Amino acid sequence: MDRLARRLGLRTDPHIFFWSAGLMVVFLVLLLSFQQPIGDAFGAGREWITTNLGWFFILGVTSWLVFLIWVATSRYGNLRLGKDGDRPAYSNLSWFAMLFAGGIGTVLMFWGVAEPISHFASPPFAGVEPYSVEASQDAMGISLYHLGLHTWAIFTLPGLAFGYFIYRYDLPMRVSSVFYPFLKEKIHGPIGKTIDVFAVLGTLFGVAVSLGLGTSQINAGLTALTGVPDAVWPKVLIITTLTAVATASIVAGLDKGVRRLSNLNILMAVGLMLFVLIAGDTVFLLRQLIESIGIYAGDIVPLSFWNDSMAQFTDEGGWGWQAGWTVFYWAWTVTWAPFMGVFLARISRGRTIRQFVGGVLVAPAAFTLVWFVVFGWSAMEIDGIGGSGGPISAAVADSVPLAMFAFFDQFPAATLVSGIAVVVVALFFATSSDSASLVVDMLCSGDGEAGPVRQRVFWGLSEGLLAASLIVLGGEAGLAALQEVITVIGLPIFLLVFAMMFALIVGLRRERVPKPVEAPARHQTAEPRPAQESPPRAGSQT
């Protein structure tokens, strides 16, 4: 493998790179060659996981959020992700734009209208009338629970773990580095490399599902605008085109490509949101902005522990509503954990733990709240709160990706705005793809700097090919098939992220953190090291 890597001009760990690439190719061949049996296997796996382990997903994410709040407010909050003299490389605005566009932009565009309307039309709680005031409030609370603090806790925990162990212990930028407290030097051996290969594969599948969702929405938008059929092969063509755009950004690198796309992306998304705020019922939305904070605050604790445990007595053949919503969300989001963790660590060196948790956890969650208020409440008002439904809920019942465009049809200049929305989704697609490609390359090389262009292009093309394969595998089932795949892939990665929390606890407990009265953090000059432990070696690279 070493010789082959040299011949190809690669700068990476050949074992991680070739094993990851080889297994990905095997999965692709199997997916395309045995579509029916593999689809059935994923369906059975998803049913077993949601029935028997759905409670574990819900409890796990809630425990991660509680842990992050504790560590940020504890004495460890002043520790820097890096040496004590390090300072952030990016401004707060660029930092926020990069983490947002790389993390959840596609998700908000897809679900910003679709999720509130779905719960509004089909309330998950017994006794709640569809389209009622109570249904609208529940819909907003559930949407914010799914895509607010809990989602960002799934990103923040691995990001904090990577930033802490990679920069304070001077370890390679790999997932295995997080487990140094348990494995010690074995992170550089077969055990560590196995963890890294698994993380790369999970990341590729997680990103592919997101690209599949984004592609479905772009196809729906083009169908509404131009009459292009909403079918499998147009989606494959869209993935091919946008993968080419993402690859061009990959070649430009993190500072030029990803940062520029991220800044452009967030500006266009904010522009869409402001348009809806101004063109819609502005006073109603401003009032709901304040009220929705209270709804979220009142719902977050009970929802954090709600397991839909009574569903077995009311639903037939399933675990209930949460199997298709909460468990799917957590399983899908956690597949992004290795990618987002390394990406966040890469752009956050020099920030304190408190700054990191506050920025990554709170700021995007606050933006998500504003987004759902503007789009979600506008959609529910259009469909008629206290009425019997309208054009948007009808569109969602027919095709979830159509929700955003059915929504824009109710506004002035609908065709123009829908066209802009398609561009925004496409840019989010490209940003997610090029960010993930750069990170996967880092996971393979262990280096915080971008590797040779050919490596990054390979991973970018691989993500597009995998996303196209999942679209073909899903066929007309589309979203349901993607949910089945990602739930099964998400379980082992969920266990991996859970272990990261305990690794962080062990690492932090070994820190010599002086009390502020004795030695304020700003006066420290030496890099803190875990007590009674010598610095580990940085690990070999090829």
Side-chain angles (χ1 to χ4, degrees):
M1 288 188 180
D2 294 315
R3 186 179 303 174
L4 180 59
R6 287 194 295 269
R7 286 181 178 178
L8 294 176
L10 304 180
R11 194 176 74 238
T12 186
D13 184 304
H15 298 90
I16 299 174
F17 182 91
F18 288 119
W19 272 106
S20 299
L23 289 173
M24 181 197 64
V25 172
V26 170
F27 287 149
L28 279 174
V29 172
L30 292 175
L31 285 172
L32 296 176
S33 301
F34 306 99
Q35 295 183 28
Q36 186 62 42
I38 289 181
D40 292 343
F42 276 118
R46 181 196 180 217
E47 183 177 357
W48 185 89
I49 290 170
T50 55
T51 300
N52 297 284
L53 294 176
W55 63 270
F56 177 63
F57 279 85
I58 293 169
L59 179 63
V61 177
T62 297
S63 67
W64 299 350
L65 178 59
V66 172
F67 168 76
L68 289 167
I69 294 172
W70 168 77
V71 76
T73 55
S74 72
R75 62 193 181 100
Y76 301 115
N78 291 323
L79 292 174
R80 289 196 177 275
L81 303 182
K83 294 180 173 62
D84 290 329
D86 288 347
R87 291 297 180 270
Y90 301 101
S91 68
N92 289 335
L93 181 60
S94 290
W95 182 58
F96 172 71
M98 291 169 73
L99 67 90
F100 173 80
I104 203 172
T106 304
V107 181
L108 287 186
M109 289 295 295
F110 190 89
W111 293 112
V113 170
E115 178 163 7
I117 281 291
S118 296
H119 307 325
F120 181 51
S122 301
F125 302 122
V128 177
E129 289 294 324
Y131 309 108
S132 64
V133 171
E134 186 179 3
S136 68
Q137 293 172 335
D138 288 343
M140 184 55 56
I142 293 168
S143 300
L144 293 174
Y145 162 60
H146 281 157
L147 289 167
L149 292 172
H150 281 72
T151 281
W152 283 94
I154 298 175
F155 295 153
T156 307
L157 177 58
L160 178 60
F162 287 132
Y164 176 78
F165 286 106
I166 290 170
Y167 296 135
R168 292 190 74 82
Y169 281 61
D170 193 24
L171 290 168
M173 190 166 281
R174 298 192 185 113
V175 176
S176 57
S177 296
V178 174
F179 301 101
Y180 181 82
F182 306 138
L183 300 177
K184 297 296 189 289
E185 295 301 310
K186 291 180 181 179
I187 64 170
H188 307 297
I191 297 177
K193 294 183 190 299
T194 299
I195 292 174
D196 293 323
V197 168
F198 180 73
V200 168
L201 292 174
T203 298
L204 290 172
F205 270 93
V207 173
V209 168
S210 295
L211 299 185
L213 293 177
T215 299
S216 298
Q217 191 172 35
I218 293 171
N219 194 176
L222 292 178
T223 299
L225 292 171
T226 65
V228 172
D230 189 358
V232 171
W233 292 110
K235 292 183 176 72
V236 173
L237 182 60
I238 291 169
I239 287 179
T240 302
T241 303
L242 292 179
T243 297
V245 175
T247 302
S249 179
I250 290 167
V251 174
L254 179 65
D255 290 333
K256 294 181 180 179
V258 178
R259 183 172 60 183
R260 289 174 181 174
L261 269 183
S262 298
N263 289 339
L264 175 62
N265 224 356
I266 198 71
L267 288 175
M268 293 183 69
V270 169
L272 274 179
M273 185 173 64
L274 291 176
F275 167 78
V276 174
L277 176 64
I278 295 171
D281 191 341
T282 307
V283 175
F284 170 75
L285 294 177
L286 292 176
R287 293 172 65 186
Q288 284 296 349
L289 178 61
I290 306 302
E291 191 167 319
S292 295
I293 296 174
I295 292 173
Y296 185 34
D299 288 350
I300 187 171
V301 173
L303 287 176
S304 295
F305 297 95
W306 178 50
N307 277 278
D308 204 9
S309 57
M310 301 303 290
Q312 59 180 314
F313 301 111
T314 57
D315 294 346
E316 295 182 1
W319 188 60
W321 176 88
Q322 282 189 320
W325 285 100
T326 308
V327 177
F328 161 64
Y329 267 137
W330 296 167
W332 171 28
T333 307
V334 82
T335 58
W336 281 54
F339 151 48
M340 280 299 293
V342 171
F343 182 69
L344 291 172
R346 170 65 176 79
I347 65 175
S348 303
R349 182 168 188 167
R351 297 185 183 273
T352 66
I353 288 177
R354 186 170 294 117
Q355 290 171 341
F356 179 84
V357 173
V360 180
L361 187 64
V362 178
F367 184 90
T368 298
L369 186 145
V370 176
W371 184 276
F372 268 111
V373 165
V374 172
F375 284 90
W377 276 116
S378 293
M380 289 187 286
E381 184 187 28
I382 290 170
D383 263 21
I385 298 174
S388 58
I392 304 174
S393 55
V396 170
D398 181 54
S399 173
V400 173
L402 280 174
M404 179 70 75
F405 304 102
F407 173 73
F408 284 133
D409 280 344
Q410 314 305 315
F411 286 85
T415 301
L416 174 62
V417 176
S418 294
I420 294 173
V422 170
V423 173
V424 172
V425 175
L427 285 176
F428 276 130
F429 181 118
T431 306
S432 298
S433 180
D434 60 18
S435 300
S437 302
L438 286 166
V439 168
V440 168
D441 185 45
M442 293 175 189
L443 288 174
C444 291
S445 67
D447 190 351
E449 299 302 321
V453 170
R454 65 192 67 177
Q455 291 175 197
R456 291 176 278 145
V457 169
F458 172 78
W459 292 120
L461 296 176
S462 297
E463 289 160 7
L465 182 60
L466 188 57
S469 300
L470 291 177
I471 289 290
V472 172
L473 175 66
E476 297 304 319
L479 179 60
L482 294 178
Q483 288 178 327
E484 292 172 351
V485 171
I486 210 60
T487 302
V488 175
I489 297 294
L491 175 60
I493 299 181
F494 196 89
L495 296 172
L496 198 68
V497 176
F498 223 120
M500 290 181 184
M501 181 173 68
F502 295 102
L504 260 175
I505 292 173
V506 173
L508 291 171
R509 285 176 64 88
R510 292 175 179 172
E511 283 278 0
R512 295 190 182 97
V513 184
K515 295 181 180 180
V517 185
E518 299 172 356
R522 64 176 180 273
H523 292 160
Q524 294 180 355
T525 56
E527 179 184 0
R529 291 288 184 184
Q532 301 178 349
E533 187 143 349
S534 59
R537 64 185 176 87
S540 58
Q541 295 181 33
T542 300

